């Protein structure tokens, strides 16, 4: 089945105006805002792939995260353009920590940086500009003339990071999908993926697309085509030290050169249509049933204690304020929504998971799935970490409980863990000992993912 493609890149690096706010996301602590300093510019890139049965759209963005309501706003503007089928539209964030703060819910700018209501309002106005830009980019790419292409898939390796939780999984696989023009077999586009936190630069006030942007530049400059980076299950994958502006170039050059070498050599597998797409939203359980009034009372008492015992400058104090406001108002969330998505093609499956998924999920899914499987993460929305059962069991014993979301009490958010910053009232459900039991986070995610991959 013939496949056609169009690709468009937007330099969306925020500037004032039109962006009302230049607050930056990725790191908590002192208020962090950009004042016009740019190292590597931020891209939003859209690719339309048409297999003859209608367009399928990927939108990848140099941004640390997109909360659920922003994802839903972009999706509501795009799905009518792709046959009203959620599976036909996929968003991936690069997770650079040197980009703008988008959205005001998860993560929460008040909790992270103690921003004033006026500053939070400015972030909301910036988010409106961002949403409009992303929808317009998709509209423009869909309106472009498409080039008939053939698709080819290959995997390679590069070593630019390590597992920061001490687990054995260090993801070094490079996924690459290239498009070649049917008319002359010339290279048209390069899609590539890798799993590593985009924090090589470290914490400063420059906008920067981090090592994914550096790798993209290497590939585009060497091959003369647009290149698009897609983040993997990098929740526990950290770039090699030191974190510095120079390390962005170093690691990006290693990754980019590896992709160029892959493109310039053989061993590619043909990828063919038709493209079947699937989309599902999971409801991950928390460690406590917050539909139980007694559990809500316990949570209220625990968070009230934090207000009594912590200074207002503490992240956990501000998080407790947010939790108590929710208890008094809309109520605490009872589940953790998690979209998953699959694009099924001849010769390749692309499987996309929302949130900061840890590497064990990618390893298990690739080991149990026959054929070529490209696992992406930070897909569609990012509102927290999704760890496997072992890390969830460990709590504060590993990296102060950051990826687990709890320290010494699994019924409430751990101070200065991901459940504080995103913010959630409790960590994700796990089995206290032994393997993951039915109904726990790992089993819900793996069972649903396996079922979707078997469709």
């Amino acid at each position: 089945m013939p496949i056609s493609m169009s690709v468009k890149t937007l330099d969306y690096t925020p500037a004032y105006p039109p962006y009302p706010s230049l607050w930056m996301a990725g790191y908590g602590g002192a208020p962090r805002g950009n004042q016009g300093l740019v190292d590597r510019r931020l891209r939003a890139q859209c690719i339309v792939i048409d297999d003859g049965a209608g367009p399928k759209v990927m939108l990848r963005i140099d941004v640390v995260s997109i909360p659920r309501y922003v994802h839903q706003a972009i999706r509501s503007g795009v799905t009518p353009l792709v046959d009203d089928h959620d599976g036909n539209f996929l968003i991936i964030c690069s997770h650079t920590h040197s980009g703008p703060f988008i959205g005001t819910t998860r993560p929460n700018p008040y909790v992270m940086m103690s921003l004033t209501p006026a500053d939070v309002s400015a972030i909301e106005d910036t988010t409106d500009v961002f949403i409009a830009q992303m929808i317009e980019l998709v509209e423009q790419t869909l309106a472009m003339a498409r080039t008939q292409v053939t698709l080819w898939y290959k995997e390679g390796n590069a070593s630019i990071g390590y597992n920061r939780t001490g687990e054995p999984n260090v993801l070094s696989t490079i996924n690459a999908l290239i498009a070649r023009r049917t008319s002359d077999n010339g290279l048209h586009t390069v899609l590539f993926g890798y799993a590593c936190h985009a924090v090589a630069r470290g914490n400063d006030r420059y906008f920067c697309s981090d090592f994914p942007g550096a790798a993209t530049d290497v590939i585009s400059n060497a091959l003369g085509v647009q290149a698009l980076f897609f983040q993997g299950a990098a929740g526990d994958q950290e770039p090699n030290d030191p974190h510095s502006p120079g390390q962005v170039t170093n690691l990006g050059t290693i990754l980019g050169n590896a992709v160029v070498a892959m493109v310039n050599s053989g061993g590619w597998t043909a990828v063919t249509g038709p493209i079947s797409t699937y989309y599902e939203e999971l409801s991950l359980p928390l460690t406590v049933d917050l539909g139980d009034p007694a559990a809500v009372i316990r949570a209220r008492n625990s968070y009230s204690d934090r207000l009594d015992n912590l200074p207002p400058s503490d992240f956990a104090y501000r998080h407790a304020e947010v939790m108590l406001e929710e208890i008094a108002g809309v109520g605490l969330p009872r589940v953790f929504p998690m979209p998953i998505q699959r694009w099924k093609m001849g010769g390749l499956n692309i499987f996309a998971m929302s949130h900061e998924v840890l590497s064990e999920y990618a390893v298990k899914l690739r080991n149990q799935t026959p054929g070529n499987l490209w696992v992406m993460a930070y897909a569609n929305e990012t509102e927290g970490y999704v760890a496997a059962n072992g890390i969830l069991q460990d709590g504060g014993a590993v990296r102060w409980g950051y990826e687990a979301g709890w320290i010494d009490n699994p019924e409430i958010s751990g101070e200065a863990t991901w459940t504080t910053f995103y913010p959630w009232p409790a960590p994700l459900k796990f089995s206290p000992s032994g393997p993951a039991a039915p109904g726990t986070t790992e089993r819900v995610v793996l069972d649903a993912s396996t079922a979707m991959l078997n469709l």
Side-chain angles (χ1 to χ4, degrees):
M1 180 174 291
I3 291 176
S4 59
M5 176 182 290
S6 58
V7 186
K8 186 174 178 63
T9 295
L10 170 70
D11 176 351
Y12 91 95
T13 310
Y16 175 82
Y19 276 79
S21 154
L22 298 182
W23 290 112
M24 299 178 69
Y27 298 100
R32 175 174 173 247
N34 178 273
Q35 296 177 326
L37 299 172
V38 179
D39 185 1
R40 294 182 182 274
R41 302 191 70 81
L42 305 177
R43 300 177 178 95
Q45 295 168 291
C46 182
I47 183 165
V48 174
I49 303 176
D50 195 332
D51 61 354
K56 283 76 178 171
V57 175
M58 288 185 180
L59 174 66
R60 53 85 48 210
I61 312 166
D62 289 325
V63 68
V64 65
S65 62
I66 293 176
R68 182 168 177 80
Y69 81 98
V70 175
H71 158 221
Q72 291 175 329
I74 297 172
R75 181 169 292 276
S76 67
V78 171
T79 49
L81 310 176
V82 290
D83 299 327
D84 284 314
H85 187 338
D86 277 323
N88 289 344
F89 178 52
L90 169 63
I91 308 172
I92 298 286
C93 296
S94 72
H95 199 51
T96 176
H97 283 44
S98 299
F101 210 118
I102 298 299
T104 57
T105 52
R106 296 188 178 96
N108 184 301
Y110 171 66
V111 174
M112 290 190 72
M113 298 188 291
S114 194
L115 294 190
T116 67
D119 290 330
V120 173
S121 178
I123 291 177
E124 196 61 63
D125 291 341
T126 278
T127 301
D128 291 340
V129 175
F130 176 86
I131 291 169
Q133 282 187 313
M134 297 306 116
I135 294 173
E136 183 179 20
L137 174 59
V138 174
E139 292 172 339
Q140 291 173 346
T141 313
L142 282 165
M144 292 171 60
R146 292 171 201 153
T147 301
Q148 192 164 324
V149 297
T150 57
L151 300 179
W152 304 86
Y153 180 76
K154 184 179 179 179
E155 293 181 357
N157 284 277
S159 295
I160 65 171
Y162 62 97
N163 191 312
R164 68 189 190 188
T165 68
E167 293 290 300
N169 300 320
V170 178
L171 303 186
S172 61
T173 300
I174 301 171
N175 310 89
L177 180 68
I178 61 172
R180 291 191 175 276
R181 293 185 297 271
T182 303
S183 59
D184 60 2
N185 202 41
L187 188 65
H188 182 273
T189 308
V190 176
L191 284 67
F192 70 107
Y194 194 82
C196 188
H197 251 72
V199 295
R201 183 179 184 90
N203 184 352
D204 63 18
R205 294 174 179 267
Y206 281 76
F207 281 142
C208 179
S209 50
D210 212 271
F211 79 84
T216 298
D217 291 339
V218 168
I219 297 164
S220 293
N221 290 338
L223 301 176
V225 298
Q226 293 185 80
L228 295 80
F229 172 82
F230 294 86
Q231 185 62 273
D236 53 3
Q237 305 293 295
E238 186 82 0
N240 291 333
D241 295 325
H243 292 188
S244 66
Q247 190 72 326
V248 170
T249 302
N250 294 338
L251 301 185
T253 299
I254 291 170
L255 179 58
N257 282 340
V259 174
V260 172
M262 290 168 64
V263 174
N264 289 333
S265 59
W268 293 83
T269 298
V271 175
T272 59
I275 303 172
S276 300
T277 66
Y278 309 88
Y279 180 94
E280 180 182 355
E281 295 206 349
L282 312 181
S283 293
L284 304 188
L286 304 178
T287 53
V288 288
D289 177 10
L290 292 170
D292 178 1
V296 175
I297 291 173
R298 291 196 301 272
R300 184 178 62 203
N301 291 340
S302 294
Y303 289 119
S304 294
D305 287 343
R306 286 188 177 175
L307 291 188
D308 292 338
N309 292 289
L310 294 173
S313 59
D314 196 297
F315 298 122
Y317 181 98
R318 298 193 294 272
H319 171 268
E321 285 185 306
V322 172
M323 294 297 98
L324 292 170
E325 287 173 4
E326 290 186 3
I327 291 171
V330 297
L332 295 174
R334 301 180 184 182
V335 296
F336 182 95
M338 182 180 183
I340 59 174
Q341 195 165 353
R342 178 192 181 193
W343 283 20
K344 176 184 177 181
M345 295 167 273
L348 175 65
N349 275 293
I350 294 174
F351 189 71
M353 310 173 79
S354 58
H355 308 306
E356 302 206 42
V357 177
L358 271 63
S359 59
E360 188 169 340
Y361 287 102
V363 171
K364 287 184 174 180
L365 289 174
R366 280 171 59 86
N367 285 343
Q368 72 184 34
T369 305
N372 292 317
L373 177 64
W374 182 349
V375 177
M376 300 177 180
Y378 303 87
N380 295 311
E381 61 194 54
T382 301
E383 292 204 327
Y385 279 74
V386 181
N389 201 67
I391 291 293
L392 291 172
Q393 286 176 344
D394 290 337
V398 175
R399 269 179 48 86
W400 70 91
Y402 187 80
E403 286 82 7
W406 67 282
I407 299 174
D408 50 13
N409 179 0
E411 288 200 354
I412 63 170
S413 164
E415 297 177 24
T417 69
W418 74 262
T419 49
T420 294
F421 300 114
Y422 267 97
W424 290 89
L428 297 175
K429 187 175 182 179
F430 58 92
S431 294
S433 62
T440 59
T441 298
E442 181 179 321
R443 282 292 300 273
V444 172
V445 173
L446 287 178
D447 289 351
S449 301
T450 300
M452 180 176 282
L453 286 165
N454 285 333
L455 292 174

